[in-house]
Amino acid sequence: MNIVVCVKQIPDPANPSQLDPETHWLVRPDEQVMDDGDRYGVEMALQLAEASEGSVTLVSMGPAGNLQGIRQALAMGADKAVIVTDDALRGAGALETARVLAAAISREEFDLVLCGTESTDGYSGVVPQQVAELLGVPALTFARKVTLDGDTVKIEQQTAGGYNEVEAPAPVVLSVTAGVVEPRYPTFKGIMAAKSKPVDQLSVADLGVDVSGINQEILAVRDAPSRAAGTKIEDEGEAHLEIVSKLQELKVV
Ligand SMILES: Cc1cc2nc3c(=O)[nH]c(=O)nc-3n(C[C@H](O)[C@H](O)[C@H](O)COP(=O)(O)OP(=O)(O)OC[C@H]3O[C@@H](n4cnc5c(N)ncnc54)[C@H](O)[C@@H]3O)c2cc1C
C-alpha cells in the first residue's frame, strides 16, 4: 500500500511566535518543527505500510527552511518527501494550500492520503476535506481508529458523544485524531538515515497550479482582550439563588 502523509512544518510552539511588523505574517524561521498533530498521521502511515510492505511519502507546502520538520518525519521511518516551496505561496489560504497539496499528491501513486485533523498554527481544519474533493476521492475524517479490510478502509470517526463507523474503498483521504496511535520516537539510526533520504523541492511552476487568487492581506493584529475579573458572591443564605440566576443568564441551566 502506497501512502502519502501531509506534514506541515511550523515554527516551534515552544518559542514565542513573531509577526512581521509590516505584513503581520507569521515569521517562519529557518528552523521549523513537524506539527505535533502530524506525528499521528506519520505513525499511522508507517504501521499500515509496514503491514502491507508499502511506502510512505511525505508531502508538504511552505517555506522549506533547513527542512528540520521534514527530517523529523523521515527519521520516524518515512521513505521520501516532497516539499512545495515558492514565494508565490506567501499568504495562501486553506483552499490554495489544498490545491497545491493535491497537485503534488497526484504526481504520486497513492492508496491512502493521511492528514492531521487540524494544524497547530492555522487550525482551519478543512485542508484534508478539500484535498479529498480535489483528488476526487472520499474523505474519512476524525479517525480515532483505522483498519483495512482488503481494499476497504474502515474507521471509527470521533464524535462528541462516541464514534461513527465509516468505510470507503481506497483510495481515500484520512484525517486522524491525536490518539489514533502512539507515535514512535525516532531512533539514532533513523535520525542518521533521514539525512540521506530524498527530499524533492518543487515550485508552483513545477506543479502548474494557478495561485493568482492568493490575495489575503492582514490589516491589523490585536491582542485578545484580557479576562475580566470574576464576581465574588458572599453567602448570606441566598447565594445559591444568585448562582442559579447567573447560570440561567449564561443559558447553562
Ligand atoms: C491568523 C490566521 C488567519 C488566517 N486566515 C485565513 C483566512 O482568512 N482564510 C483562509 O483560507 N485561511 C486562513 N488562515 C489559514 C492559513 O492560511 C493556513 O495556515 C493554511 O491555509 C493551511 O491551513 P491549516 O493549517 O489551517 O490546515 P488544517 O486544515 O488545519 O490542517 C489539517 C491537516 O492538513 C495538512 N496540512 C495543512 N496545511 C499543510 C501544509 N502547508 N503542508 C502539508 N500539510 C498540510 C496537515 O496534515 C494538517 O494536520 C489563517 C491562519 C491564521 C493563523
Side-chain angles (χ1 to χ4, degrees), residues 5-223:
V5 193
C6 293
V7 168
K8 189 173 186 182
Q9 296 197 115
I10 62 166
D12 189 341
N15 301 327
S17 54
Q18 288 181 1
L19 297 181
D20 180 309
E22 273 179 31
T23 62
H24 308 298
W25 297 120
L26 188 64
V27 175
R28 293 186 177 271
D30 253 12
E31 191 128 314
Q32 298 194 85
V33 296
M34 166 169 48
D35 193 327
D36 197 57
D38 288 335
R39 291 192 308 132
Y40 299 92
V42 175
E43 179 61 40
M44 190 73 251
L46 291 172
Q47 291 189 16
L48 294 171
E50 281 159 7
S52 60
E53 296 188 7
S55 67
V56 175
T57 302
L58 310 170
V59 170
S60 190
M61 184 200 103
N66 63 9
L67 293 171
Q68 182 185 238
I70 301 294
R71 298 271 177 223
Q72 286 170 337
L74 291 171
M76 286 174 71
D79 299 285
K80 60 187 169 76
V82 176
I83 178 161
V84 187
T85 185
D86 198 313
D87 280 350
L89 293 170
R90 271 174 70 85
L95 186 55
E96 291 93 6
T97 304
R99 283 200 181 111
V100 169
L101 292 175
I105 293 165
S106 57
R107 291 160 55 108
E108 307 292 323
E109 274 183 28
F110 66 90
D111 302 297
L112 286 183
V113 177
L114 277 129
C115 300
T117 50
E118 152 177 304
S119 73
T120 311
D121 66 340
Y123 43 83
S124 67
V126 294
V127 167
Q129 296 84 326
Q130 292 174 332
V131 168
E133 176 67 17
L134 292 163
L135 292 173
V137 303
L140 297 181
T141 54
F142 290 88
R144 61 171 219 172
K145 185 176 177 193
V146 180
T147 47
L148 298 179
D149 182 1
D151 280 346
T152 305
V153 186
K154 298 182 173 182
I155 68 158
E156 287 180 6
Q157 181 177 59
Q158 184 72 56
T159 65
Y163 65 91
N164 299 322
E165 290 180 347
V166 191
E167 62 179 56
V172 301
V173 173
L174 274 172
S175 72
V176 296
T177 60
V180 69
V181 279
E182 189 54 41
R184 68 193 69 184
Y185 286 101
T187 59
F188 180 67
K189 195 174 159 207
I191 293 168
M192 296 311 288
K195 293 180 197 284
S196 54
K197 287 185 178 173
V199 179
D200 203 4
Q201 291 199 31
L202 302 178
S203 67
V204 165
D206 292 326
L207 293 176
V209 182
D210 178 9
V211 292
S212 56
I214 296 179
N215 57 9
Q216 282 192 72
E217 196 181 337
I218 299 175
L219 301 179
V221 177
R222 297 193 180 88
D223 290 336

